[in-house]
Amino acid sequence: MNIESISALLAATVTLAIGASVLLRDRSRKSYVRFAVLCGVLGAWHAARVLYLALHSEHAYLGSLFVAASMPFFSLRFFRAFLIDERATTAAPRWMVVGAALPIAATTFALVFRQPGLVHSWQFTWPLGGYVFLGLGASLGLVYRESRRTLDSVEKQRLFYLLVGGILALGSSALEFLAPAFGNVPAIIYIYFLSQTLLRFRLLDLNELLGKMIVLAVLVLILSAIYAVLVSWVSDRQPNIFFFNTLVASFIVLILFEPLRNLLEGRIEKWMLYEQHELKLRLSELRTALTSVIDIRDAARLTIDRLSQSQRASHAAFYLVDAEGAGYDLIAHFGTRPVERIDAAIRRPFFERLMAQRGPISFAELEREQTSRTTPAESEVIDLIARTLDEMQAALCLPIVADEQLVALCVLRDERLREAYSTDEIDLFRGLGAQLGITIQNSKLYERMKERDRLAALGEMAAGLAHEIRNPLGAIKGAAQLLLSAGDGAAGAPADGREFLSIIVEETNRLNRVVSQFLDYARPFRGADEAVEINDVVRRTAQLVTPPAAPGDAAVPVEICLVLAAELPPVKGDSEQ
């Protein structure tokens, strides 16, 4: 195999791998599927070239012509879905259909009538190449028009990077015949760049792109060097040893891959992606600090303070659920002051969305959904959620869940960018939300422990208070019992006096039992289950509620009449209750 076929083989392998990786992530989005199809077409074209260059297969050459004629169509479909509308199904322009039909017809004619010279002549290859590059240029024209249409300066700059990268990739492919060893490299880099924009739902900054490409390139070089050192000393005449060393080298590469990648990403982020590195550092410090915080309001103030220091948010706020769970109140913020309270009933779709996806809601995500929704009801719900975010001055809302309940909201926004937070950064915020949930759970546990300690102190105080109450109760009861026994022994003792002395004794016993119940606060009082005569309970109660006769009155102003059934059986119960 010569250098040109090796270059084509590399391009085919990497392009197909990139397309497959995107398709495996999400097959429900049309932009993902169309990107995978485009990668499949490009990979098939490179693979056909490999077969033609290595095996001189005429059928492979004709197959490459078929594939080349279809490239503009699949490229245009992808960019329409990616830049304009996920549901875009507009047919290809007429000139593109005619341009594809002519070379396909000529290739079919050459295949059927065995006239290979027809498709090898420059009169055929040059017009075909012109059509392919013109069609691919039409896709870049969509990028250019979108960059002119958008009013966001940052988005305009990112689209400019995408456009320049596409032009460089297209130009390098045109010059591939002059530099076959390197002509495919810019195209591969550009395909990788497109895959990253899909996976992260936004166009990356140039520094981000360069940083990721540097990490990838350095990793490839380091791991390739390790692999080469471990297998290069084995000759071709020792296949068993070569296989063994290949196995050992693969294990070592897999073991070293993760720490090497983390090391390189840390260095590159610190060098080229300062703001993202600073955000990751601040959030890591915040999560560590939250492990020693108990009070919820202290956790909210600490969170808002660290977010302001990260320089990745111009506005941030923290909302805490009220005691009734009817709404969320603002307890900390910086930047423009948001709405003071979010009512849960009025904003029900917003909270249902938070609990359904158990993750952050971003304003950019709602905008993308709005373009793909078809029913007015769905559009109305998305508008309500977007208005709620706008009232909170938020581009991203982070739910904080504890004990399966939504207990708080942390919202933030970077007014410099329309879509400020990448997928990696949102994952960092997701981890922060989990830590805040643990902190709130610990806070509730701490409050329960404080309540338990308070009750314990109350019990100790009650024991002392009960002692002070029982001493005079004992004296009152003893005196009443002495008078009662003296009255029983004396002739002609008044019946009313004995009655009231009995009441004093009974009520003293009752008050003593109440004190005992108060001491036993740890478990609720269930009553003394004993045989009770209902008629006796009613008579004693009547004695307590019958008003005494005033001196000089001829009659009692209120008379209580008891109607008691005779021979009632005793029942189990508590006469005091």
Side-chain angles (χ1 to χ4, degrees):
M1 295 178 69
N2 57 20
I3 191 67
E4 187 176 359
S5 59
I6 293 176
S7 175
L9 178 61
L10 173 66
T13 305
V14 175
T15 304
L16 291 173
I18 292 173
S21 68
V22 171
L23 188 62
L24 289 173
R25 288 178 180 267
D26 190 353
R27 287 176 289 180
S28 63
R29 297 181 65 90
K30 284 191 175 180
S31 56
Y32 281 43
V33 175
R34 292 181 181 181
F35 177 78
V37 171
L38 176 61
C39 288
V41 171
L42 294 174
W45 182 72
H46 287 297
R49 289 187 62 242
V50 172
L51 293 176
Y52 172 69
L53 294 171
L55 306 177
H56 304 288
S57 170
E58 195 64 30
H59 288 85
Y61 178 74
L62 294 175
S64 69
L65 298 180
F66 275 109
V67 175
S70 65
M71 282 183 191
F73 171 74
F74 290 107
S75 174
L76 193 62
R77 279 176 60 85
F78 161 68
F79 276 99
R80 278 179 175 167
F82 174 52
L83 296 174
I84 302 174
D85 189 354
E86 275 276 335
R87 299 168 294 165
T89 56
T90 308
R94 184 175 301 175
W95 67 266
M96 186 175 289
V97 175
V98 174
L102 290 176
I104 289 175
T107 304
T108 304
F109 178 83
L111 179 63
V112 172
F113 294 98
R114 297 183 180 180
Q115 297 291 331
L118 177 64
V119 294
H120 283 278
S121 64
W122 67 268
Q123 291 90 343
F124 177 82
T125 55
W126 279 78
L128 176 60
Y131 158 74
V132 171
F133 284 103
L134 183 63
L136 295 176
S139 300
L140 296 179
L142 284 179
V143 181
Y144 174 74
R145 286 194 294 272
E146 284 297 305
S147 68
R148 295 293 300 272
R149 185 184 63 84
T150 183
L151 300 178
D152 190 335
S153 60
V154 176
E155 186 70 11
K156 189 184 293 291
Q157 186 178 14
R158 291 171 175 170
L159 285 170
F160 173 75
Y161 292 151
L162 186 63
L163 178 63
V164 171
I167 292 173
L168 292 175
L170 199 60
S172 69
S173 298
L175 298 175
E176 184 181 355
F177 296 104
L178 299 178
F182 304 102
N184 290 321
V185 174
I188 295 172
I189 293 175
Y190 188 67
I191 290 295
Y192 177 76
F193 173 53
L194 283 177
S195 71
Q196 292 300 306
T197 63
L198 281 173
L199 300 177
R200 299 175 182 277
F201 301 109
R202 65 174 192 161
L203 297 176
L204 303 179
D205 293 325
L206 181 61
N207 285 344
E208 253 184 297
L209 170 65
L210 292 177
K212 290 186 175 297
M213 293 308 301
I214 290 174
V215 170
L216 183 63
V218 174
L219 271 177
V220 169
L221 291 175
I222 293 176
L223 297 178
S224 299
I226 294 172
Y227 193 88
V229 168
L230 291 173
V231 301
S232 60
W233 64 276
V234 183
S235 67
D236 296 338
R237 299 176 182 178
Q238 298 172 303
N240 293 332
I241 298 180
F242 180 82
F243 175 78
F244 174 75
N245 273 33
T246 301
L247 189 64
V248 173
S250 300
F251 270 110
I252 293 176
V253 165
L254 288 175
I255 292 170
L256 294 177
F257 176 78
E258 195 65 28
L260 279 174
R261 187 183 68 176
N262 293 337
L263 176 63
L264 287 172
E265 285 182 349
R267 296 291 177 86
I268 295 298
E269 282 180 2
K270 191 173 182 180
W271 174 40
M272 301 184 66
L273 309 173
Y274 175 75
E275 287 190 351
Q276 188 179 36
H277 176 74
E278 188 70 14
L279 176 65
K280 184 181 293 186
L281 180 63
R282 295 295 180 185
L283 291 184
S284 177
E285 293 175 352
L286 174 58
R287 292 182 64 178
T288 302
L290 286 174
T291 58
S292 59
V293 174
I294 294 298
D295 187 78
I296 298 177
R297 295 182 179 273
D298 289 343
R301 286 189 288 268
L302 179 63
T303 300
I304 295 301
D305 182 58
R306 293 299 173 86
L307 287 175
S308 66
Q309 294 175 7
S310 70
Q311 302 179 0
R312 289 291 284 112
S314 56
H315 308 273
F318 199 100
Y319 289 84
L320 185 65
V321 67
D322 58 21
E324 295 79 18
Y328 295 76
D329 299 316
L330 179 68
I331 61 173
H333 82 284
F334 80 90
T336 305
R337 188 174 187 85
V339 65
E340 292 286 342
R341 178 177 172 82
I342 302 295
D343 190 271
I346 298 176
R347 307 296 181 182
R348 183 176 177 182
F350 174 76
F351 291 104
E352 287 180 347
R353 172 71 174 262
L354 280 174
M355 289 304 296
Q357 70 183 39
R358 294 298 182 95
I361 294 179
S362 69
F363 195 85
E365 178 186 0
L366 296 176
E367 286 184 333
R368 286 191 295 272
E369 287 188 15
Q370 191 68 283
T371 61
S372 61
R373 297 289 178 179
T374 55
T375 65
E378 291 172 329
S379 179
E380 184 179 352
V381 169
I382 293 175
D383 285 340
L384 177 61
I385 296 173
R387 286 198 301 271
T388 304
L389 287 177
D390 189 58
E391 290 177 1
M392 293 190 291
Q393 299 292 328
L396 186 72
C397 177
L398 181 66
I400 301 169
V401 179
D403 297 326
E404 298 298 319
Q405 299 293 325
L406 183 62
V407 294
L409 305 172
C410 182
V411 299
L412 60 157
R413 176 163 69 92
D414 189 347
E415 63 183 5
R416 300 171 300 171
L417 303 172
R418 184 176 64 85
E419 191 172 353
Y421 304 107
S422 67
T423 305
D424 290 342
E425 291 169 335
I426 291 177
D427 286 340
L428 291 176
F429 291 126
R430 197 187 303 270
L432 172 62
Q435 183 63 55
L436 284 169
I438 294 173
T439 299
I440 292 177
Q441 283 181 325
N442 292 340
S443 176
K444 290 181 177 180
L445 179 61
Y446 176 68
E447 290 298 326
R448 287 196 292 267
M449 292 174 61
K450 284 175 59 179
E451 180 66 13
R452 187 184 64 186
D453 292 343
R454 187 184 69 82
L455 290 175
L458 182 62
E460 293 178 2
M461 181 184 70
L465 181 62
H467 177 71
E468 297 299 326
I469 292 176
R470 277 175 165 168
N471 283 340
L473 278 180
I476 293 172
K477 181 179 178 181
Q481 287 175 333
L482 183 62
L483 289 173
L484 186 62
S485 62
D488 290 339
D496 289 345
R498 289 197 302 273
E499 209 173 274
F500 287 126
L501 287 173
S502 298
I503 291 175
I504 291 174
V505 173
E506 289 179 6
E507 290 305 302
T508 303
N509 291 333
R510 179 172 173 272
L511 186 56
N512 188 60
R513 286 195 296 272
V514 169
V515 172
S516 298
Q517 294 169 16
F518 182 63
L519 288 174
D520 198 20
Y521 72 95
R523 55 182 181 273
F525 178 68
R526 301 182 184 277
D529 236 6
E530 58 186 7
V532 175
E533 295 288 344
I534 296 296
N535 289 339
D536 291 343
V537 174
V538 173
R539 290 190 189 96
R540 288 200 304 271
T541 305
Q543 291 173 352
L544 292 175
V545 300
T546 300
D553 287 352
V556 177
V558 176
E559 182 180 1
I560 296 179
C561 299
L562 300 180
V563 181
L564 305 176
E567 299 180 358
L568 285 178
V571 297
K572 280 194 173 183
D574 187 337
S575 59
E576 301 298 336
Q577 295 296 312

